[in-house]
């Protein structure tokens, strides 16, 4: 166990940390100023949207906080900057590694090039990357998920819940990762009821255009789908999904959240009555387990995949309207068992 330190410094009060990170994103949370690696643990660098997205990035932060509490060491979490390059990301990750943080995690596929470069420069540090499996180095953990499986179950739930026989899917950015969410959702809908129409769209072609960080875009897309009679809308769009949930609540239709249990998110509390469920992936658990493995001096590396069988993807049960619907739960559980057994092959594109 690392030596425990309780010194806390808000923001970038530590001059050395502020200097190291000033060119590549601000530090949201850090503790202490010691350069001793024994006092420092996990550091994460956020994807587009940053902390507060009530979804993907916040889940990573929850894993960091769990490790911080359990292991009693200093942590850091760093926000992205507008228009940053791979070189900026690499500098950010390298700075964290140089200061002694271990592991250092890039939250999102956009960190692939930066993680590879930083990991090569700092071979004694364990790096992690969420949602990418292309970095093949001995000191890198690729933290990936079978999102299409949870999305299939979301499709089952949508098809069983719709009264208009029209449901919607909103993807943040038109990329292969989000194609997995759409493919699984559409297959789940069609396997459950071929008569249900799925209206699908992507908000932007690139992340730089705001597909994962623009609630206004999510709201407008949801309103457009509601005009087409969609009464259940599933959004895989990070922070943009908040706008879709707001639109669903305003129009008294159902929303299905993503990544985190969005029914339980404090920032979405006024809309939670419209959040049927969420297709979750346990980024928090994945990030925490990586930190734990480093703490145990047995770092997990290679491709580490969470799926229905491992319990790291699934549907949230917080909304009693959803959880207490015995018929719906039976249908979902049957589909879940068939996916785990291989009787249902879920498409990922």
């Amino acid at each position: 166990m690392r030596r425990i330190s309780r010194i806390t410094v808000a923001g970038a009060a530590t001059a050395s940390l502020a200097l190291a990170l000033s060119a590549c994103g601000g530090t949201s949370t850090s503790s202490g100023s010691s350069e001793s690696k024994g006092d420092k643990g996990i550091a994460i660098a956020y994807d587009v949207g940053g902390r507060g997205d009530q979804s993907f990035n916040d889940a990573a932060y929850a894993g960091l906080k769990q490790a911080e509490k359990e292991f009693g060491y200093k942590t850091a979490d760093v926000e992205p900057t507008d228009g940053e390059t791979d070189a900026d990301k690499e500098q950010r990750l390298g700075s964290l590694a140089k200061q002694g943080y271990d592991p250092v995690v890039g939250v999102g596929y956009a960190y692939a090039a930066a993680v590879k470069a930083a990991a090569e420069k700092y071979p004694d540090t364990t790096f992690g990357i969420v949602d990418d499996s292309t970095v093949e180095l001995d000191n890198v953990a690729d933290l990936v998920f079978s999102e299409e499986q949870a999305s299939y179950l979301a499709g089952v739930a949508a098809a069983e819940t719709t009264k208009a026989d029209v449901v919607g899917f909103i993807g943040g950015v038109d990329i292969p990762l989000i194609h997995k969410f759409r493919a699984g959702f559409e297959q789940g809908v069609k396997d459950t009821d071929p008569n249900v129409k799925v209206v699908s769209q992507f908000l932007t072609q690139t992340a730089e255009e705001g597909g994962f960080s623009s609630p206004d875009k999510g709201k407008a897309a949801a309103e457009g789908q509601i005009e087409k009679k969609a009464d259940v809308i599933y959004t895989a769009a990070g922070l943009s999904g908040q706008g879709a949930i707001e639109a669903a609540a305003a129009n008294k239709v159902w929303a299905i959240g993503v990544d985190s249990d969005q029914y339980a998110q404090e920032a979405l509390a006024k809309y939670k009555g419209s959040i049927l469920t969420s297709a979750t992936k346990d980024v928090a658990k994945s990030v925490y387990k990586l930190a734990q493995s480093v703490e145990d001096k047995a770092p997990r590396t290679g491709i580490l995949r969470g799926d229905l069988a491992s319990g790291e993807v699934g549907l949230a049960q917080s909304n009693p309207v959803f959880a207490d619907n015995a018929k719906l739960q039976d249908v979902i559980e049957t589909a879940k068992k068939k996916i785990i057994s291989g009787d249902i092959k879920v498409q990922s594109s």
Side-chain angles (χ1 to χ4, degrees):
M1 173 90 46
R2 292 177 171 88
R3 180 166 59 85
I4 296 176
S5 173
R6 297 296 181 189
I7 301 171
T8 302
V9 179
T14 303
S16 61
L17 186 59
L19 179 62
L21 296 175
S22 61
C24 53
T27 302
S28 301
T29 301
S30 64
S31 303
S33 59
S34 169
E35 293 299 321
S36 168
K37 188 169 183 174
D39 283 339
K40 292 183 177 177
I42 186 170
I44 61 177
Y46 292 117
D47 198 1
V48 174
R51 177 144 60 97
D53 68 349
Q54 312 301 321
S55 184
F56 181 71
N57 289 301
D58 280 2
Y61 179 68
L64 175 145
K65 294 302 288 184
Q66 182 182 355
E68 180 183 71
K69 179 179 179 180
E70 183 164 333
F71 306 131
Y73 52 32
K74 304 176 187 71
T75 62
D77 63 311
V78 188
E79 295 288 345
T81 58
D82 292 337
E84 65 186 22
T85 65
D86 286 342
D88 295 328
K89 292 183 176 69
E90 179 189 341
Q91 181 183 355
R92 177 181 302 138
L93 299 178
S95 174
L96 292 166
K98 186 176 181 180
Q99 292 171 69
Y101 290 101
D102 191 6
V104 175
V105 181
V107 184
Y109 68 91
Y111 275 95
V115 166
K116 184 177 187 297
E120 288 173 341
K121 288 183 180 179
Y122 296 92
D124 294 330
T125 298
T126 298
F127 288 81
I129 181 166
V130 181
D131 279 352
D132 182 87
S133 60
T134 65
V135 186
E136 299 178 357
L137 294 173
D138 291 342
N139 61 326
V140 175
D142 297 320
L143 309 177
V144 294
F145 302 86
S146 296
E147 295 95 346
E148 70 278 6
Q149 294 182 349
S151 296
Y152 183 100
L153 298 184
V156 173
E160 286 286 321
T161 302
T162 181
K163 298 184 182 306
D165 285 348
V166 182
V167 301
F169 171 80
I170 299 171
V173 181
D174 189 358
I175 54 173
L177 173 63
I178 305 304
H179 294 172
K180 292 170 65 179
F181 288 88
R182 182 181 69 172
F185 180 72
E186 290 182 345
Q187 184 182 349
V189 170
K190 293 304 181 183
D191 284 357
T192 304
D193 187 346
N195 294 317
V196 174
K197 179 181 179 181
V198 182
V199 180
S200 294
Q201 72 182 94
F202 296 100
L203 298 179
T204 63
Q205 293 299 304
T206 67
E208 289 75 19
E209 296 171 278
F212 292 132
S213 56
S214 304
D216 58 325
K217 294 182 188 297
K219 182 178 180 180
E223 289 172 342
Q225 294 189 346
I226 292 166
E227 288 180 1
K228 296 177 181 177
K229 307 302 182 185
D231 59 357
V232 185
I233 298 175
Y234 174 41
T235 307
L239 184 64
S240 299
Q242 292 191 31
I245 290 170
E246 179 184 353
N251 289 276
K252 302 187 185 310
V253 302
W254 287 112
I256 295 178
V258 75
D259 291 343
S260 298
D261 179 0
Q262 296 195 297
Y263 180 91
Q265 293 285 351
E266 184 177 348
L268 298 173
K270 62 183 176 181
Y271 308 126
K272 71 178 186 179
S274 297
I275 302 174
L276 181 67
T277 182
S278 297
T280 61
K281 59 181 183 185
D282 204 340
V283 176
K285 181 177 180 181
S286 185
V287 167
Y288 167 77
K289 285 168 65 176
L290 178 61
Q292 183 180 47
S293 73
V294 173
E295 180 71 15
D296 293 341
K297 303 188 187 309
R300 305 172 80 224
T301 58
I303 296 176
L304 306 174
R305 182 176 298 278
D307 57 15
L308 281 178
S310 72
E312 290 175 72
V313 304
L315 292 185
Q317 298 288 322
S318 295
N319 188 341
V321 173
F322 175 75
D324 296 342
N325 186 327
K327 179 183 176 183
L328 177 57
Q329 292 297 323
D330 284 346
V331 175
I332 290 170
E333 185 62 24
T334 297
K336 177 180 176 180
K337 288 178 179 178
K338 288 183 177 180
I339 292 171
I340 292 173
S341 70
D343 288 342
I344 293 177
K345 307 288 186 184
V346 184
Q347 301 167 6
S348 60
S349 64

